[in-house]
């Protein structure tokens, strides 16, 4: 479980750092609503990623693909309910931009791709 | 009970949202379940590598669920949008949007699970290449999301389309057909792309020296596997943007709906078939790198032939739109 905690810590901190930086950029551009939406979306993206890691040991207790898939369905529905919260908030409150929230929900995925594809490549190139 | 237009629009919107998130969750769950199942297998082979395998599984599943999140976004928009329109066409457009995103997320969700699962298995066999395996898995999974992105684009276009004074018949059928065409065609491409990406992870674990050629073959194979969903997108655009003259006959509407159904279902088989072809090529590139060029050519010829049924489906769809 220690590796999972370390992975979560790494990507979640990268995602939050990126979200705060983007919030400042949007603030300077006068697009506060998008910035707030992005920050809110990122926060829930991070929560989703943490919950996913917490539920993981339960997945691994399942012996077959079908049992694992059934458990994954329950887990996804639970996490989708969490991810729906910022979307609904942004549709109800006009000071939070919907598109900002949508992009924010993918920040953890973007952080993973950025870290593994770009940062890692740069490390390999430096070593070479 | 259902004669009030606003009620019908709400029904279509809520029904579309239900289909959207229901199907979207199935795709992502099957994909994540596959990854978890393979992670179990890998841990049973190499319990001492469980930390790395679980880390890989977590990252793979996070990317695999993107298609499901697309579906969630569309479902929330459908539920909470303020559809103040009094035009019945809005109901068709919203229901079509739900169908499009729901079906469109299935293939990408399932497909993204394959590279995740194979990477977990590969880690237990070849722990020294864990970084390369994860990079390849992420690239493969990200490409798998393309058909789901096409579906989201079509769904958003349907939701925010300016209906204006378009005639109810046969435009309702064109809007529904547009949703079905991209959404259903995306199933095959998403799964096909995933099969290819899964094979590439397996191949890298088998022979890490062949990484470059394996990745190139994977990307070309995945790109061709996406073609049926591009055909689906093309038919959807025609159905959404062509103005059809008003017609009171049911046959005109059925022709347009049939065009969407034809391209949608016609795209499933070729998408999966292309993925199988690329899967075979990618596996054998790692076993016999000297034959990589020959394998790539054979793969492309095989994919072109298996693509023919998608082309037939597109031709019939176009005939239904422009001739019938």
């Amino acid at each position: 479980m220690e590796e999972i905690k370390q992975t979560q810590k790494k990507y979640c901190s990268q995602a939050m750092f990126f979200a705060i930086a983007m919030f400042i950029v949007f603030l300077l551009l006068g697009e506060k609503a998008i910035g707030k939406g992005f920050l809110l979306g990122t926060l829930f993206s991070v929560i989703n990623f943490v919950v996913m890691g917490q539920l993981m040991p339960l997945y691994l207790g399942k012996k077959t693909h079908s049992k694992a898939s059934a458990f994954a369905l329950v887990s996804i529905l639970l996490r989708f309910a969490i991810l729906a919260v910022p979307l609904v908030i942004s549709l109800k409150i006009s000071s939070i931009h919907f598109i900002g929230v949508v992009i924010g929900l993918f920040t953890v995925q973007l952080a993973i791709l950025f870290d593994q594809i770009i940062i890692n490549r740069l490390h390999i190139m430096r070593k070479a | 009970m259902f004669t009030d237009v606003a009620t019908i629009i709400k029904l279509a919107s809520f029904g579309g949202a239900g289909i959207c998130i229901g199907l979207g969750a199935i795709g992502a769950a099957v994909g994540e379940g596959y990854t978890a199942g393979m992670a179990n297998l890998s841990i049973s082979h190499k319990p001492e590598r469980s930390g790395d395998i679980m880390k890989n599984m977590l990252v793979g599943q996070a990317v695999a669920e993107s298609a499901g999140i697309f579906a969630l976004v569309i479902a929330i928009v459908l539920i909470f949008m303020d559809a103040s329109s009094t035009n019945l066409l809005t109901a068709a457009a919203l229901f079509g949007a739900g169908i499009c995103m729901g079906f469109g997320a299935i293939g990408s969700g399932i497909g993204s699970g394959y590279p995740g699962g194979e990477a977990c298995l590969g880690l237990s066999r070849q722990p020294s290449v864990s970084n390369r395996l994860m990079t390849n898995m992420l690239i493969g999974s990200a490409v798998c999301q393309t058909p789901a992105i096409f579906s989201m684009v079509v769904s958003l276009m349907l939701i925010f389309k300016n209906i204006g004074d378009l005639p109810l018949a046969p435009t309702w059928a064109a809007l529904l057909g547009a949703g079905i065409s991209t959404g259903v065609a995306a199933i095959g491409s998403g799964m096909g792309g995933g099969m290819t990406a899964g094979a590439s992870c397996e191949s890298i674990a088998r022979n890490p020296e062949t990484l470059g050629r394996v990745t190139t073959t994977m990307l070309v194979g995945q790109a061709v596997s996406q073609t049926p969903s591009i055909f689906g997108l093309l038919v959807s655009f025609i159905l959404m943007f062509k103005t059809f003259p008003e017609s009171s006959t049911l046959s005109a509407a059925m022709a347009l709906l049939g065009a969407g159904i034809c391209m949608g279902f016609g795209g499933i088989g070729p998408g999966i078939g292309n993925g199988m072809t690329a899967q075979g090529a990618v596996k054998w590139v790692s076993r016999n790198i000297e034959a990589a060029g020959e394998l790539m050519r054979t793969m492309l010829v095989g994919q072109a032939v298996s693509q023919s049924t998608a082309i037939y489906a597109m031709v019939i769809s176009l005939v239904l739109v422009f001739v019938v």
Side-chain angles (χ1 to χ4, degrees), chain A residues 3-4 7 48 52 56 59-60 62 65 68-69 72-73 76 79-80 83-84 88 91 98 106 109 112 116 120, chain B residues 21 28-29 32-33 36-37 40 51 54-55 57-59 61-62 65 68 70 72 76-77 80 131 134-135 138:
Chain A
E3 280 90 348
I4 288 187
T7 309
N48 175 49
M52 189 186 227
M56 191 165 281
Y59 278 52
L60 291 171
K62 310 295 168 209
H65 288 312
S69 292
L73 182 62
I76 280 181
R79 287 183 290 109
F80 278 4
L83 291 178
V88 176
L91 287 169
F98 181 74
F106 292 97
Q109 280 88 342
I112 291 169
Q116 199 63 31
N120 242 2
Chain B
I21 196 64
E32 288 190 23
N40 267 328
M54 285 171 81
K55 179 180 139 189
M57 175 182 145
L58 176 73
V59 171
Q61 288 185 325
E65 103 173 356
F70 294 150
L72 177 76
I76 295 289
V77 172
F80 289 97
N131 233 347
M134 196 188 275
T135 305
L138 289 171

Side-chain angles (χ1 to χ4, degrees), chain A residues 70-86:
Chain A
F71 188 81
L73 182 62
V74 176
S75 153
I76 280 181
L77 291 175
L78 170 74
R79 287 183 290 109
F80 278 4
I82 295 171
L83 291 178
V85 174

Side-chain angles (χ1 to χ4, degrees), chain B residues 170 172-185 228 231-240 242 244 250-267 309-324:
Chain B
W172 68 267
L175 297 177
L176 268 183
I180 294 170
S181 175
T182 299
V184 179
F231 292 165
L233 190 69
L234 178 75
V235 170
S236 290
F237 278 2
I238 294 170
L239 288 169
M240 278 191 292
K242 189 177 182 309
F244 300 99
L250 196 59
S251 60
M254 284 302 117
L256 298 179
L257 187 61
I261 292 172
C262 174
M263 188 61 249
F265 284 91
T309 49
I311 297 172
Y312 300 157
M314 188 173 69
V315 169
I316 294 300
S317 292
L318 295 177
V319 168
L320 284 166
V321 173
F322 291 104
V323 181
V324 182

Side-chain angles (χ1 to χ4, degrees), chain B residues 4 8 25 28 62 86 130 149 249 261 289 300:
Chain B
D4 173 21
I8 295 173
T86 52
S130 62
I149 294 171
T249 61
I261 292 172
I289 185 84
L300 288 172

Side-chain angles (χ1 to χ4, degrees), chain A residues 68-127:
Chain A
S69 292
F71 188 81
L73 182 62
V74 176
S75 153
I76 280 181
L77 291 175
L78 170 74
R79 287 183 290 109
F80 278 4
I82 295 171
L83 291 178
V85 174
L87 292 167
V88 176
I89 290 173
S90 69
L91 287 169
K92 297 281 177 197
I93 302 169
S94 58
S95 61
I96 297 173
H97 203 285
F98 181 74
I99 301 295
V101 174
V102 172
I103 300 169
L105 288 180
F106 292 97
T107 314
V108 168
Q109 280 88 342
L110 291 174
I112 291 169
L113 289 170
F114 184 77
D115 181 72
Q116 199 63 31
I117 296 170
I118 297 175
I119 306 274
N120 242 2
R121 283 276 158 93
L122 288 175
H123 266 292
I124 291 167
M125 278 167 72
R126 258 189 216 163
K127 274 186 186 174

